[in-house]
């Protein structure tokens, strides 16, 4: 057989190499070579083999040509449904990879991809998406993964079902490689083989995290699966241990002493790392706002073990039942935390602001501070509303300052609004867990007057610092947010037209003011949820860059992260630059050094931010699935938040989102219309659209997959019907 196959390959290859050959599709070739219909599959195998060897390639129009296709190198991102995307550095758009074109690539692999469609514009002006085929796997991205071990009954081998839904295959664990794991253990598995056609990947278990039902194992699985560092190396802890727990006279030398200024910290009730304090006085009609940030750079020297570990982590990660800090607790909850009544070193941005909210003067200085009160968002909000006479009495010394802060906050918010800043107010989930880590309540996290006040002050300090150092023309790290893709904006503009809304898209890029105006028009309308979501999806992700290109969402020309050096490395990085500048040490050599390291710092911190966001998102999804497993068969009101060809996602008022799978929509056959974001019944003509209010019943909650299933409740249907129970055992801790 092999001999025949090789002969056929030789004949086809010679045919394609012939001077008279004109590139043609497989069908045309089969007709010309008189290949019978039964043998066309064999012809495809021959052609695929020649493509894999790089002797021929398929053109954008599906025609076979001599020679290798132009290939690009990128990272493969798998989708749980089998297809995927390749992200190529420097190319704005990802390349779509169909299920049959993945070439055996797994999520995170670095691959070579040949374009099969280049995404050129169609006649109707819309772009086609870029499509490609993986031709080579250059390096594997995943070497270990986390999953549930299932031992095969009566046999000595087993399988690990990966937690990561982008890893589509179970991993075979041969006899003697289970590391002592038993059925139902959550484990870390090291991949020893990636399998192939008809062969599963293989691995060996290197760590047992605990039984699936043990408290905390679920979140630990996410931590290990996200590759988040947990324990601090001994060298780092030793270095943190040598940091003093109080400040000395020598520490204060040369600093601006403002310990007699009235100032407070305002944070969440359970916050322990307090890295920002605020002060405010009024001189005539001008406000003097001080934003005082913990001087972490004073204790974390560049290049030290502490610093290297902080850069590796990039950010603190806040999960449902734990925090994985960027810096050891000795620093983050000790000398670097601005605890009330303690002398602390700070980096202060002191701004003079007029009645329009414009900064007319500012000073950035190394300071010594002493916070008067540690206050909470809820407490301050109640004081501002006059709802807590006891607290007003207790904090009477700072109540007038808080009232002025609320006044200034409103002025600053109006100013941002006037210039076009966009405020997507999607509620985050607030998870209330019991002592075993089980969710007892999920509700939207409420922003109040105090959270907004701190947000306004931090934004202003961040902008002021970024603008100052931009005009100084020194190397710096900016927080940038690019304007949305023009095509996406045109699609959004066309869609909102259906509802009678317009959006002006000039010949240049869309302006933030246009999106903000749209948000204002739709506020309180039935379409608000729908259009807000689509606008948000049209946006790009913010990132860290050494170049200042502005922040689209905030409509800010200059923006940097300055206010959280305990929990974000970029803030710590710019603190060092600022301190070098303030002390006159920013010479040519130092500038050169920062020029050199900042691109890598920007890349690393942008990546660790994505990693943290993903882990935080997965934790919330897990706890939501666990919570809803306690509400099987119950009926809820919700809103259609997303529509895909496999079903509709419905969001409940408590922020929980579940899927009504298209197969569960049994009253009709539903077609998905992508351009209108609608599901339409073929026979009944019933329409489901984005933003529509809908009643659903909980039919499934899977904590392993972190998914929730709903079914639509028809009018007149009994609400307390037979409670189905498709929850997994792992939800019942």
């Amino acid at each position: 057989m092999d001999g025949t196959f090789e002969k056929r390959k030789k004949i086809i290859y010679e045919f394609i190499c012939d001077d008279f050959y004109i590139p043609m599709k497989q069908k045309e070739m089969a007709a010309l070579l008189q290949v019978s219909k039964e043998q066309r599959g064999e012809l495809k195998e021959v052609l695929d083999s020649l493509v894999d060897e790089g002797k021929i390639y398929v053109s954008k129009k599906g025609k076979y040509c001599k020679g290798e296709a132009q290939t690009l190198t990128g990272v493969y991102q798998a989708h749980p449904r089998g297809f995927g995307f390749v992200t190529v550095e420097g190319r704005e758009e990802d390349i779509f990879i169909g299920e049959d074109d993945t070439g055996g690539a797994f999520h995170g692999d670095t691959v070579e991809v040949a374009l099969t469609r280049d995404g050129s514009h169609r006649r109707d002006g819309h772009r086609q998406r870029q499509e490609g085929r993986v031709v080579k796997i250059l390096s594997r991205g995943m070497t270990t993964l986390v999953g549930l071990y299932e031992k095969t009954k009566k046999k000595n081998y087993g399988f690990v079902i990966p937690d990561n839904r982008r890893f589509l295959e179970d991993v075979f664990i041969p006899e003697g490689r289970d590391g002592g794991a038993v059925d139902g253990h959550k484990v870390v598995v090291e991949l020893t083989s990636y399998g192939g056609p008809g062969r599963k990947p293989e691995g060996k278990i290197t760590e047992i995290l605990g039984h699936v039902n043990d408290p905390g194992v679920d979140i630990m699985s996410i931590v290990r699966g996200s590759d988040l560092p947990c324990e601090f190396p001994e060298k780092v802890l030793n270095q943190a241990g040598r940091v003093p727990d109080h400040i000395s006279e020598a520490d204060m030398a040369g600093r601006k002493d403002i310990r007699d200024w009235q100032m407070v910290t305002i944070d969440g009730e359970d916050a322990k790392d307090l890295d920002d304090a605020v002060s405010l006085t009024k001189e005539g009609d001008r406000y003097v706002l001080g934003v005082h940030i913990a001087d972490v750079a004073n204790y974390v020297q560049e290049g030290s073990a502490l610093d290297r570990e902080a850069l590796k982590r990039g950010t603190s990660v806040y999960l449902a039942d734990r925090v994985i800090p960027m810096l050891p607790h000795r620093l983050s909850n000790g000398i670097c935390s601005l605890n009330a009544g303690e002398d602390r070193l700070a980096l202060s941005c002191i701004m003079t602001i007029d009645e329009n909210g414009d900064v007319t003067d500012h000073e950035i200085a190394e300071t010594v501070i002493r916070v008067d009160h540690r206050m909470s968002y809820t407490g301050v909000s109640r004081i501002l509303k006059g709802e807590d006479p006891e607290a007003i009495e207790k904090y009477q010394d700072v109540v007038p300052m808080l009232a002025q802060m609320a006044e200034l906050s409103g002025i600053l918010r109006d100013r941002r609004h006037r210039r076009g800043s966009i405020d997507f107010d999607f509620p985050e989930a607030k998870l209330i867990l019991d002592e075993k880590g089980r969710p007892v309540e999920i509700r939207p996290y409420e922003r109040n007057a105090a959270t907004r006040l701190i947000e306004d002050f931090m934004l202003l300090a961040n902008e002021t610092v970024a603008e100052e150092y931009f005009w100084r023309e020194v190397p710096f790290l900016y927080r940038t947010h690019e304007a949305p893709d023009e095509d996406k904006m045109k699609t959004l503009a066309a869609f909102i037209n259906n509802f009678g809304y317009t959006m002006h898209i000039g010949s240049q890029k869309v302006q933030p003011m246009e999106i903000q105006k749209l948000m204002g028009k739709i506020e309180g309308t039935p379409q608000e949820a729908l259009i807000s979501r689509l606008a948000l999806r049209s946006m790009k992700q913010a990132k860290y860059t050494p170049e200042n290109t502005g922040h689209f969402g905030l409509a800010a020309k200059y923006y940097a992260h300055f206010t959280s050096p305990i929990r974000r490395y970029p803030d710590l990085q710019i603190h060092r630059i600022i301190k070098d500048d303030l002390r006159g040490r920013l010479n040519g050599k130092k500038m050169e050094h920062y020029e050199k390291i900042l691109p890598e710092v920007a890349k690393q911190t942008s990546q660790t931010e994505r990693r943290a966001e993903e882990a935080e998102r997965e934790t919330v999804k897990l706890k939501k699935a666990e919570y809803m497993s306690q509400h099987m068969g119950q009926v809820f009101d919700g809103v259609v938040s997303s529509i895909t060809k496999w079903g509709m996602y419905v969001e409940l008022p408590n922020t929980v989102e579940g899927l009504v799978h298209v197969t569960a929509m049994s009253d009709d056959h539903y077609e998905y219309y992508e351009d209108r974001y609608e599901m339409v019944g073929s026979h009944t003509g019933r329409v489901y659209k984005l933003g529509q209010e809908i009643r659903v019943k909980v039919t499934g909650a899977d904590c392993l997959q972190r998914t929730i299933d709903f079914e639509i409740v028809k009018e007149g249907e009994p609400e307390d019907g037979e409670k189905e129970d498709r929850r997994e055992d792992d939800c019942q801790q």
Side-chain angles (χ1 to χ4, degrees):
M1 172 64 195
D2 282 352
T4 314
F5 188 73
E6 288 306 317
K7 267 184 206 163
R8 284 177 177 167
K9 251 165 74 174
K10 191 168 182 284
I11 293 163
I12 298 294
Y13 184 56
E14 283 171 359
F15 168 67
I16 292 172
C17 291
D18 193 288
D19 290 344
F20 294 103
Y21 172 76
I22 296 163
M24 58 183 76
K25 292 181 179 178
Q26 183 193 318
K27 213 174 181 179
E28 297 165 332
M29 201 182 290
L32 190 69
L33 297 174
Q34 297 181 331
V35 177
S36 67
K37 276 191 177 173
E38 295 74 39
Q39 287 186 303
R40 282 191 185 175
E42 291 167 38
L43 173 64
K44 185 172 181 342
E45 280 178 36
V46 168
L47 289 166
D48 285 351
S49 179
L50 287 167
V51 168
D52 289 343
E53 286 171 23
K55 289 182 175 173
I56 64 172
Y57 72 94
V58 187
S59 75
K60 290 166 204 156
K61 292 185 175 173
K63 297 183 176 184
Y64 288 90
C65 313
K66 183 188 168 188
E68 282 202 58
Q70 178 227 345
T71 60
L72 298 160
T73 299
V75 177
Y76 180 66
Q77 312 280 327
H79 189 280
R81 295 186 177 269
F83 56 84
F85 298 89
V86 171
T87 307
V88 179
E89 207 169 324
R91 281 178 88 98
E92 207 164 272
E93 200 185 336
D94 291 346
I95 301 161
F96 175 80
I97 309 293
E99 200 172 342
D100 300 330
D101 294 323
T102 61
F106 289 124
H107 182 67
D109 289 353
T110 300
V111 298
E112 224 171 72
V113 61
L115 282 181
T116 53
R117 192 162 84 178
D118 73 345
S120 54
H121 281 83
R122 298 198 306 243
R123 281 180 190 168
D124 62 6
H126 285 88
R127 278 178 72 92
Q128 293 179 309
R129 68 178 171 192
Q130 294 182 342
E131 292 186 9
R133 189 169 43 78
V134 173
V135 291
K136 200 174 187 182
I137 296 162
L138 301 175
S139 66
R140 293 290 187 180
M142 275 191 175
T143 52
T144 63
L145 48 85
V146 173
L148 178 70
Y149 180 61
E150 286 192 350
K151 196 159 180 127
T152 310
K153 287 181 176 67
K154 298 179 184 171
K155 301 270 173 106
N156 284 327
Y157 59 83
F159 293 91
V160 170
I161 303 160
D163 281 2
N164 189 333
R165 299 191 304 284
R166 294 167 187 244
F167 199 96
L168 308 176
E169 300 262 18
D170 293 349
V171 181
F172 176 67
I173 308 295
E175 188 175 354
R177 297 243 165 152
D178 60 15
V182 299
D183 201 53
H185 265 154
K186 290 303 286 285
V187 297
V188 179
V189 60
E190 185 185 307
L191 292 164
T192 52
S193 150
Y194 289 84
R199 226 175 71 247
K200 283 196 179 293
E202 283 188 25
K204 63 174 182 184
I205 292 171
T206 56
E207 190 183 341
I208 296 167
L209 301 177
H211 194 271
V212 67
N213 293 342
D214 292 345
V217 168
D218 51 1
I219 291 180
M220 196 59 205
S221 300
I222 291 173
V223 169
R224 294 306 311 273
S226 305
D227 213 14
L228 292 166
C230 299
E231 304 302 320
F232 283 100
E234 203 173 333
K235 200 174 177 183
V236 173
L237 291 174
N238 290 342
Q239 214 167 70
R242 290 196 292 273
V243 171
D245 54 11
H246 62 278
I247 67 174
S248 65
E249 286 299 321
D251 287 330
M252 298 190 219
R255 286 178 173 262
K256 186 183 180 85
D257 188 343
I258 52 173
R259 283 176 289 180
D260 57 345
W261 286 23
Q262 194 177 59
M263 65 177 71
V264 294
T265 59
I266 308 175
D267 291 272
E269 276 85 348
D270 45 4
K272 294 181 181 69
D273 48 353
L274 317 177
D275 51 14
D276 55 86
V278 286
S279 64
L280 186 72
T281 55
K282 205 168 178 189
E283 295 169 4
D285 56 2
R286 292 181 182 265
Y287 299 88
V288 179
L289 170 69
V291 173
H292 313 281
I293 308 300
D295 189 354
V296 181
N298 192 74
Y299 304 101
V300 181
Q301 307 305 316
E302 185 177 340
S304 64
L306 259 174
D307 182 49
R308 289 197 305 274
E309 183 67 18
L311 177 57
K312 180 181 159 193
R313 293 174 179 234
T315 179
S316 293
V317 187
Y318 296 84
L319 304 177
D321 66 347
R322 72 194 72 192
V323 177
I324 300 171
M326 183 177 86
L327 295 167
H329 287 303
R330 164 130 184 133
L331 284 171
S332 57
N333 298 356
I335 194 72
C336 291
S337 190
L338 306 180
N339 302 330
E342 307 268 356
D343 290 351
R344 288 289 184 258
L345 304 182
L347 203 51
S348 298
C349 180
I350 301 153
M351 298 158 280
T352 304
I353 304 158
D354 67 16
E355 67 272 26
N356 299 316
D358 292 317
V359 177
T360 55
D361 193 14
H362 72 271
E363 179 190 2
I364 299 166
E366 291 183 277
T367 55
V368 186
I369 64 168
R370 188 188 291 143
V371 170
D372 294 297
H373 299 291
R374 182 235 191 278
M375 305 188 80
S376 72
Y377 293 129
T378 315
V380 171
S381 181
R382 284 172 62 78
I383 287 170
L384 291 172
K385 286 179 185 169
E387 292 175 348
D388 193 340
E390 224 171 273
I392 292 170
E393 177 68 29
K394 182 182 174 184
Y395 296 111
Q396 59 181 310
D397 56 328
V398 292
V399 167
M401 178 175 78
L402 293 175
Q404 285 182 348
M405 283 181 170
E407 199 179 280
L408 176 60
S409 166
I411 292 170
L412 295 176
R413 195 157 282 256
D414 283 348
R415 177 178 169 272
R416 275 208 319 279
H417 189 80
R418 283 197 307 273
R419 74 178 186 206
S421 176
I422 309 160
D423 185 11
F424 287 109
D425 201 0
F426 288 113
E428 288 177 37
K430 172 90 173 154
L431 306 175
I432 315 293
L433 308 180
D434 66 14
E435 67 288 346
K436 287 190 172 174
R438 286 183 299 225
V440 290
E441 190 189 349
I442 295 175
R443 60 171 186 256
Y445 179 80
E446 280 186 30
R447 287 164 75 186
N448 58 33
T451 57
R452 283 194 284 265
L453 178 151
I454 290 299
E455 188 181 296
D456 293 331
F457 293 173
M458 298 306 132
L459 286 172
L460 190 67
N462 285 338
E463 283 186 54
T464 304
V465 167
E467 182 170 4
E468 165 78 15
Y469 282 90
F470 173 76
W471 289 111
R472 288 280 186 93
E473 296 185 341
V474 300
F476 212 61
L477 196 58
Y478 297 94
R479 177 71 169 175
T480 57
H481 184 221
E482 291 173 51
D485 184 68
E486 204 181 322
D487 282 339
K488 284 189 175 172
M489 280 293 111
K490 282 181 177 164
T491 306
L492 177 65
F495 178 74
I496 63 171
N497 229 353
N498 299 330
F499 299 98
Y501 299 114
T502 54
M503 193 164 64
H504 178 70
I505 299 174
S507 53
Q508 302 303 304
K509 286 180 175 153
V510 66
Q511 295 302 311
M513 179 65 85
E514 284 302 311
I515 295 169
Q516 187 220 73
K517 276 185 194 162
L518 174 65
M519 296 294 107
K521 286 178 201 162
I522 62 172
E523 198 174 335
T525 68
Q527 296 87 33
E528 182 176 11
L530 150 69
I531 294 173
S532 298
R533 276 197 171 84
L534 292 181
L536 185 61
R537 282 180 207 162
S538 307
M539 297 286 171
K540 293 192 174 166
Q541 278 187 308
K543 59 185 182 212
Y544 297 106
T545 54
E547 305 79 32
N548 174 47
T549 52
H551 195 293
F552 180 84
L554 292 169
K557 286 182 186 167
Y558 319 95
Y559 197 66
H561 273 169
F562 163 77
T563 54
S564 290
I566 289 179
R567 60 183 183 88
R568 283 190 309 226
Y569 194 86
D571 307 52
L572 176 58
Q573 177 64 72
I574 71 169
H575 275 217
R576 285 202 186 108
I577 297 170
I578 293 166
K579 281 163 70 78
D580 277 345
D581 174 53
L582 293 175
R583 295 182 177 200
R585 294 193 302 225
L586 208 50
N587 54 27
K589 197 176 173 189
K590 258 280 157 73
M591 299 258 279
E592 210 174 287
H593 164 69
Y594 286 130
E595 293 272 7
K596 191 178 167 191
I597 67 164
L598 285 176
E600 192 47 50
V601 172
K603 187 178 171 188
Q604 165 69 2
T605 51
S606 294
Q607 282 172 349
T608 49
E609 180 186 30
R610 304 276 172 273
R611 180 177 71 178
E613 281 173 350
E614 180 83 1
E616 286 166 14
R617 210 167 26 243
E618 288 301 312
T619 306
V620 170
K621 277 162 69 175
L622 164 76
K623 289 298 166 192
K624 284 179 175 178
E626 195 182 330
Y627 179 75
M628 292 312 281
S629 72
Q630 303 157 34
H631 297 275
M632 303 301 294
Q634 289 183 20
V635 172
F636 296 90
D637 289 316
V639 170
V640 178
S641 55
S642 179
I643 298 184
T644 67
K645 60 174 182 252
W646 56 83
M648 305 187 299
Y649 289 92
V650 176
E651 190 178 306
L652 309 184
N654 64 359
T655 75
V656 166
E657 194 175 53
L659 175 68
V660 177
H661 199 277
V662 73
T663 54
M665 299 168 75
S666 51
D667 63 326
D668 201 346
H669 172 72
Y670 284 87
E671 293 286 347
Y672 168 52
Y673 291 93
E674 192 174 0
D675 56 335
R676 307 201 306 258
Y677 302 95
E678 287 180 358
M679 279 272 192
V680 181
S682 305
H683 306 296
T684 59
R686 184 177 282 121
V687 178
Y688 291 106
K689 51 179 78 175
L690 219 51
Q692 185 173 329
E693 291 183 357
I694 194 172
R695 301 206 91 188
V696 290
K697 181 166 72 174
V698 185
T699 58
D702 184 338
C703 295
L704 283 178
Q705 296 296 320
R706 300 164 205 153
T707 56
I708 296 158
D709 292 317
F710 291 149
E711 271 179 18
I712 297 165
V713 175
K714 305 287 181 301
E715 281 179 43
E717 196 176 308
E719 292 186 8
D720 52 355
E722 201 59 36
K723 285 193 183 182
E724 285 184 64
D725 201 340
R726 286 202 278 127
R727 88 188 119 180
E728 301 287 329
D729 290 343
D730 58 284
C731 282
Q732 303 172 346
Q733 289 192 357

